Short mmCIF file of all heavy atoms in Angstrom, two decimals:
data_model
loop_
_atom_site.label_atom_id
_atom_site.label_comp_id
_atom_site.label_asym_id
_atom_site.label_seq_id
_atom_site.Cartn_x
_atom_site.Cartn_y
_atom_site.Cartn_z
N ASN J 282 0.87 -1.14 0.00
CA ASN J 282 0.02 0.05 0.06
C ASN J 282 0.86 1.22 -0.01
O ASN J 282 1.94 1.19 0.58
CB ASN J 282 -0.91 0.10 1.29
CG ASN J 282 -1.91 -1.05 1.40
OD1 ASN J 282 -1.46 -2.20 1.59
ND2 ASN J 282 -3.15 -0.63 1.29
N THR J 283 0.43 2.35 -0.65
CA THR J 283 1.10 3.59 -0.56
C THR J 283 0.13 4.68 -0.15
O THR J 283 -1.11 4.51 -0.38
CB THR J 283 1.73 4.03 -1.86
OG1 THR J 283 0.79 4.05 -2.85
CG2 THR J 283 2.83 3.01 -2.27
N ARG J 284 0.63 5.76 0.43
CA ARG J 284 -0.19 6.89 0.81
C ARG J 284 0.63 8.13 0.71
O ARG J 284 1.73 8.18 1.17
CB ARG J 284 -0.76 6.74 2.23
CG ARG J 284 -1.76 7.87 2.55
CD ARG J 284 -2.48 7.54 3.94
NE ARG J 284 -3.45 8.50 4.15
CZ ARG J 284 -4.77 8.45 3.75
NH1 ARG J 284 -5.20 7.40 3.07
NH2 ARG J 284 -5.60 9.44 4.10
N ASP J 285 0.08 9.16 0.08
CA ASP J 285 0.74 10.42 -0.01
C ASP J 285 0.33 11.28 1.30
O ASP J 285 -0.81 11.33 1.70
CB ASP J 285 0.30 11.21 -1.24
CG ASP J 285 0.82 10.56 -2.48
OD1 ASP J 285 2.00 10.05 -2.42
OD2 ASP J 285 0.13 10.54 -3.48
N LEU J 286 1.34 11.83 1.96
CA LEU J 286 1.12 12.64 3.11
C LEU J 286 1.58 14.08 2.97
O LEU J 286 2.54 14.37 2.18
CB LEU J 286 1.84 11.94 4.31
CG LEU J 286 1.50 10.51 4.64
CD1 LEU J 286 2.35 10.01 5.76
CD2 LEU J 286 0.07 10.38 4.88
N SER J 287 1.02 14.93 3.78
CA SER J 287 1.47 16.35 3.72
C SER J 287 2.42 16.63 4.84
O SER J 287 2.08 17.42 5.82
CB SER J 287 0.19 17.30 3.82
OG SER J 287 -0.70 16.96 2.74
N CYS J 288 3.48 15.93 4.94
CA CYS J 288 4.49 16.06 5.99
C CYS J 288 5.79 15.56 5.48
O CYS J 288 5.86 15.13 4.30
CB CYS J 288 4.07 15.36 7.23
SG CYS J 288 3.98 13.52 7.02
N THR J 289 6.84 15.67 6.24
CA THR J 289 8.14 15.19 5.74
C THR J 289 8.38 13.72 6.14
O THR J 289 7.62 13.18 6.94
CB THR J 289 9.27 16.04 6.41
OG1 THR J 289 9.28 15.69 7.81
CG2 THR J 289 9.06 17.57 6.13
N THR J 290 9.34 13.15 5.42
CA THR J 290 9.71 11.78 5.86
C THR J 290 10.20 11.74 7.34
O THR J 290 10.05 10.72 8.02
CB THR J 290 10.79 11.25 4.88
OG1 THR J 290 11.95 12.07 4.92
CG2 THR J 290 10.27 11.13 3.48
N GLU J 291 10.85 12.84 7.77
CA GLU J 291 11.30 12.91 9.22
C GLU J 291 10.16 12.86 10.14
O GLU J 291 10.21 12.24 11.17
CB GLU J 291 12.11 14.13 9.37
CG GLU J 291 13.53 14.12 8.66
CD GLU J 291 13.50 14.51 7.24
OE1 GLU J 291 12.45 14.89 6.68
OE2 GLU J 291 14.62 14.45 6.59
N ASP J 292 9.06 13.45 9.76
CA ASP J 292 7.83 13.45 10.63
C ASP J 292 7.29 12.03 10.74
O ASP J 292 6.96 11.51 11.85
CB ASP J 292 6.67 14.28 10.02
CG ASP J 292 7.03 15.82 10.07
OD1 ASP J 292 7.68 16.27 11.02
OD2 ASP J 292 6.55 16.52 9.13
N VAL J 293 7.41 11.24 9.60
CA VAL J 293 6.93 9.91 9.61
C VAL J 293 7.79 9.10 10.59
O VAL J 293 7.34 8.26 11.42
CB VAL J 293 6.89 9.31 8.19
CG1 VAL J 293 6.66 7.81 8.24
CG2 VAL J 293 5.78 9.93 7.39
N PHE J 294 9.13 9.22 10.43
CA PHE J 294 10.03 8.46 11.21
C PHE J 294 10.01 8.86 12.69
O PHE J 294 10.38 8.00 13.59
CB PHE J 294 11.45 8.43 10.58
CG PHE J 294 11.54 7.25 9.64
CD1 PHE J 294 10.99 7.36 8.37
CD2 PHE J 294 12.11 6.08 9.99
CE1 PHE J 294 10.98 6.36 7.41
CE2 PHE J 294 12.23 5.01 9.11
CZ PHE J 294 11.62 5.12 7.87
N ARG J 295 9.64 10.05 13.06
CA ARG J 295 9.48 10.41 14.41
C ARG J 295 8.34 9.58 15.07
O ARG J 295 8.52 9.16 16.20
CB ARG J 295 9.25 11.91 14.53
CG ARG J 295 10.48 12.81 14.75
CD ARG J 295 10.19 14.18 15.17
NE ARG J 295 9.67 15.01 14.11
CZ ARG J 295 10.30 15.51 13.19
NH1 ARG J 295 11.66 15.42 13.10
NH2 ARG J 295 9.70 16.35 12.19
N VAL J 296 7.31 9.41 14.32
CA VAL J 296 6.20 8.58 14.77
C VAL J 296 6.72 7.15 14.89
O VAL J 296 6.47 6.54 16.02
CB VAL J 296 5.00 8.63 13.94
CG1 VAL J 296 3.92 7.63 14.33
CG2 VAL J 296 4.38 10.04 13.89
N LEU J 297 7.32 6.54 13.87
CA LEU J 297 7.83 5.25 14.02
C LEU J 297 8.84 4.99 15.11
O LEU J 297 8.94 3.89 15.71
CB LEU J 297 8.45 4.84 12.76
CG LEU J 297 7.63 4.91 11.43
CD1 LEU J 297 8.45 4.46 10.20
CD2 LEU J 297 6.38 4.02 11.55
N ALA J 298 9.66 6.08 15.49
CA ALA J 298 10.62 5.96 16.49
C ALA J 298 10.03 6.00 17.83
O ALA J 298 10.68 5.60 18.86
CB ALA J 298 11.65 7.09 16.27
N ASN J 299 8.81 6.38 18.03
CA ASN J 299 8.19 6.42 19.34
C ASN J 299 7.37 5.15 19.44
O ASN J 299 6.19 5.02 19.07
CB ASN J 299 7.20 7.56 19.42
CG ASN J 299 6.63 7.72 20.86
OD1 ASN J 299 6.46 6.70 21.61
ND2 ASN J 299 6.23 8.87 21.26
N GLY J 300 7.96 4.14 20.00
CA GLY J 300 7.32 2.78 20.17
C GLY J 300 5.96 2.86 20.91
O GLY J 300 5.09 2.02 20.68
N TRP J 301 5.80 3.77 21.79
CA TRP J 301 4.54 3.85 22.58
C TRP J 301 3.37 4.24 21.68
O TRP J 301 2.16 4.02 22.10
CB TRP J 301 4.72 4.81 23.79
CG TRP J 301 5.58 4.32 24.76
CD1 TRP J 301 6.94 4.62 24.98
CD2 TRP J 301 5.33 3.26 25.71
NE1 TRP J 301 7.42 3.88 26.04
CE2 TRP J 301 6.49 3.01 26.51
CE3 TRP J 301 4.24 2.42 26.00
CZ2 TRP J 301 6.56 2.08 27.52
CZ3 TRP J 301 4.30 1.49 27.01
CH2 TRP J 301 5.43 1.28 27.76
N LEU J 302 3.62 4.67 20.52
CA LEU J 302 2.53 5.14 19.57
C LEU J 302 2.06 3.98 18.72
O LEU J 302 1.07 4.08 17.95
CB LEU J 302 2.97 6.29 18.74
CG LEU J 302 3.12 7.66 19.40
CD1 LEU J 302 3.66 8.65 18.36
CD2 LEU J 302 1.85 8.09 19.94
N TYR J 303 2.84 2.88 18.76
CA TYR J 303 2.51 1.69 17.88
C TYR J 303 1.06 1.35 17.78
O TYR J 303 0.50 1.24 16.69
CB TYR J 303 3.39 0.54 18.33
CG TYR J 303 3.42 -0.68 17.42
CD1 TYR J 303 4.20 -0.75 16.29
CD2 TYR J 303 2.71 -1.82 17.81
CE1 TYR J 303 4.19 -1.85 15.50
CE2 TYR J 303 2.72 -2.95 17.02
CZ TYR J 303 3.46 -2.95 15.82
OH TYR J 303 3.57 -4.06 15.10
N PRO J 304 0.37 1.14 18.92
CA PRO J 304 -1.11 0.81 18.78
C PRO J 304 -1.98 1.95 18.24
O PRO J 304 -3.13 1.71 17.90
CB PRO J 304 -1.56 0.35 20.17
CG PRO J 304 -0.48 0.81 21.04
CD PRO J 304 0.72 1.12 20.28
N SER J 305 -1.43 3.14 18.19
CA SER J 305 -2.16 4.31 17.60
C SER J 305 -2.26 4.20 16.06
O SER J 305 -3.20 4.77 15.48
CB SER J 305 -1.51 5.63 18.05
OG SER J 305 -1.56 5.76 19.40
N TRP J 306 -1.33 3.55 15.47
CA TRP J 306 -1.26 3.50 14.01
C TRP J 306 -1.37 2.17 13.36
O TRP J 306 -1.70 1.94 12.34
CB TRP J 306 -0.10 4.29 13.40
CG TRP J 306 1.29 3.78 13.76
CD1 TRP J 306 2.02 4.16 14.88
CD2 TRP J 306 2.08 2.93 13.04
NE1 TRP J 306 3.29 3.45 14.89
CE2 TRP J 306 3.33 2.74 13.68
CE3 TRP J 306 1.96 2.19 11.83
CZ2 TRP J 306 4.29 1.91 13.30
CZ3 TRP J 306 3.02 1.37 11.38
CH2 TRP J 306 4.10 1.30 12.10
N VAL J 307 -1.04 1.06 14.20
CA VAL J 307 -1.08 -0.31 13.65
C VAL J 307 -2.39 -0.91 13.95
O VAL J 307 -2.77 -1.09 15.11
CB VAL J 307 0.06 -1.11 14.17
CG1 VAL J 307 -0.04 -2.60 13.78
CG2 VAL J 307 1.44 -0.64 13.76
N VAL J 308 -3.19 -1.24 12.92
CA VAL J 308 -4.48 -1.82 13.12
C VAL J 308 -4.25 -3.24 13.60
O VAL J 308 -3.47 -4.02 13.08
CB VAL J 308 -5.23 -1.87 11.72
CG1 VAL J 308 -6.47 -2.69 11.90
CG2 VAL J 308 -5.47 -0.48 11.24
N GLY J 309 -4.93 -3.56 14.72
CA GLY J 309 -4.87 -4.93 15.32
C GLY J 309 -4.05 -4.81 16.72
O GLY J 309 -4.30 -5.58 17.52
N ALA J 310 -3.08 -3.89 16.76
CA ALA J 310 -2.38 -3.76 18.01
C ALA J 310 -3.34 -2.91 18.95
O ALA J 310 -3.81 -1.88 18.60
CB ALA J 310 -1.07 -2.96 17.78
N SER J 311 -3.51 -3.47 20.17
CA SER J 311 -4.46 -2.87 21.03
C SER J 311 -3.90 -2.13 22.22
O SER J 311 -4.51 -1.22 22.80
CB SER J 311 -5.49 -3.92 21.55
OG SER J 311 -4.82 -4.99 22.03
N ARG J 312 -2.65 -2.57 22.62
CA ARG J 312 -2.03 -1.81 23.75
C ARG J 312 -0.59 -2.13 23.80
O ARG J 312 -0.08 -3.15 23.27
CB ARG J 312 -2.65 -2.17 25.08
CG ARG J 312 -2.42 -3.62 25.46
CD ARG J 312 -3.05 -3.98 26.79
NE ARG J 312 -2.77 -5.40 27.06
CZ ARG J 312 -3.36 -6.08 28.01
NH1 ARG J 312 -4.37 -5.52 28.70
NH2 ARG J 312 -3.12 -7.37 28.21
N MET J 313 0.20 -1.23 24.43
CA MET J 313 1.62 -1.47 24.56
C MET J 313 1.87 -1.92 26.05
O MET J 313 1.21 -1.40 26.98
CB MET J 313 2.39 -0.07 24.35
CG MET J 313 2.48 0.36 23.01
SD MET J 313 3.13 -0.92 21.82
CE MET J 313 4.75 -1.11 22.52
N ARG J 314 2.80 -2.90 26.17
CA ARG J 314 3.10 -3.35 27.51
C ARG J 314 4.47 -2.80 27.87
O ARG J 314 4.72 -2.52 29.11
CB ARG J 314 3.10 -4.89 27.56
CG ARG J 314 1.76 -5.46 27.27
CD ARG J 314 1.71 -7.01 27.32
NE ARG J 314 2.95 -7.70 27.20
CZ ARG J 314 3.46 -8.10 25.96
NH1 ARG J 314 2.79 -7.84 24.91
NH2 ARG J 314 4.59 -8.71 25.97
N ASP J 315 5.36 -2.70 26.92
CA ASP J 315 6.69 -2.16 27.17
C ASP J 315 7.38 -1.89 25.84
O ASP J 315 7.01 -2.32 24.78
CB ASP J 315 7.53 -3.20 27.90
CG ASP J 315 8.81 -2.59 28.50
OD1 ASP J 315 8.92 -1.40 28.67
OD2 ASP J 315 9.73 -3.44 28.84
N VAL J 316 8.33 -0.97 25.91
CA VAL J 316 9.18 -0.59 24.73
C VAL J 316 10.62 -0.70 25.22
O VAL J 316 10.96 -0.12 26.22
CB VAL J 316 8.94 0.81 24.23
CG1 VAL J 316 9.84 1.24 23.13
CG2 VAL J 316 7.44 0.95 23.83
N ASP J 317 11.42 -1.59 24.48
CA ASP J 317 12.81 -1.61 24.89
C ASP J 317 13.48 -0.26 24.89
O ASP J 317 13.15 0.62 24.02
CB ASP J 317 13.61 -2.48 23.86
CG ASP J 317 13.28 -3.99 24.05
OD1 ASP J 317 12.49 -4.36 24.89
OD2 ASP J 317 13.85 -4.78 23.20
N ALA J 318 14.33 -0.04 25.86
CA ALA J 318 15.05 1.27 25.94
C ALA J 318 15.82 1.59 24.68
O ALA J 318 15.97 2.77 24.34
CB ALA J 318 15.96 1.31 27.14
N SER J 319 16.27 0.62 23.98
CA SER J 319 17.09 0.89 22.75
C SER J 319 16.25 1.07 21.49
O SER J 319 16.76 1.23 20.41
CB SER J 319 18.02 -0.36 22.56
OG SER J 319 17.29 -1.53 22.43
N TRP J 320 14.87 1.01 21.65
CA TRP J 320 14.03 1.19 20.47
C TRP J 320 14.37 2.58 19.76
O TRP J 320 14.51 3.54 20.44
CB TRP J 320 12.61 1.10 20.78
CG TRP J 320 11.65 1.32 19.69
CD1 TRP J 320 11.10 2.48 19.21
CD2 TRP J 320 11.19 0.28 18.74
NE1 TRP J 320 10.34 2.24 18.12
CE2 TRP J 320 10.37 0.88 17.81
CE3 TRP J 320 11.39 -1.13 18.76
CZ2 TRP J 320 9.79 0.19 16.79
CZ3 TRP J 320 10.75 -1.79 17.68
CH2 TRP J 320 9.98 -1.16 16.72
N PRO J 321 14.49 2.63 18.48
CA PRO J 321 14.28 1.59 17.42
C PRO J 321 15.58 1.00 16.82
O PRO J 321 15.67 0.70 15.65
CB PRO J 321 13.57 2.47 16.37
CG PRO J 321 14.28 3.78 16.43
CD PRO J 321 14.62 4.01 17.90
N GLN J 322 16.53 0.82 17.61
CA GLN J 322 17.79 0.15 17.08
C GLN J 322 17.54 -1.26 16.66
O GLN J 322 16.53 -1.96 17.22
CB GLN J 322 18.84 0.09 18.20
CG GLN J 322 19.35 1.53 18.57
CD GLN J 322 20.40 1.45 19.73
OE1 GLN J 322 20.81 0.39 20.15
NE2 GLN J 322 20.80 2.61 20.14
N VAL J 323 18.28 -1.78 15.74
CA VAL J 323 18.16 -3.14 15.21
C VAL J 323 18.26 -4.07 16.34
O VAL J 323 19.10 -4.02 17.28
CB VAL J 323 19.19 -3.46 14.16
CG1 VAL J 323 19.14 -4.91 13.74
CG2 VAL J 323 18.95 -2.56 12.90
N GLY J 324 17.22 -5.02 16.39
CA GLY J 324 17.19 -6.01 17.50
C GLY J 324 16.26 -5.65 18.61
O GLY J 324 15.89 -6.46 19.44
N SER J 325 15.91 -4.35 18.80
CA SER J 325 15.05 -3.94 19.86
C SER J 325 13.62 -4.36 19.60
O SER J 325 13.33 -4.59 18.40
CB SER J 325 15.18 -2.42 20.09
OG SER J 325 14.76 -1.78 18.95
N GLN J 326 12.83 -4.42 20.65
CA GLN J 326 11.44 -4.91 20.51
C GLN J 326 10.40 -4.03 21.21
O GLN J 326 10.68 -3.37 22.15
CB GLN J 326 11.30 -6.30 21.14
CG GLN J 326 12.11 -7.38 20.40
CD GLN J 326 11.86 -8.69 20.99
OE1 GLN J 326 11.31 -8.93 22.09
NE2 GLN J 326 12.25 -9.76 20.22
#
């Protein structure tokens, strides 16, 4: 899927970098229990 947005790529990655926002944008995710302190480094969860 693709979507055109009225923001920068940096704005998108700021959202992705905030793990606590995950259930706000991912359909099916209902709540956060924890975010690794190293998120979003490779291997973090």
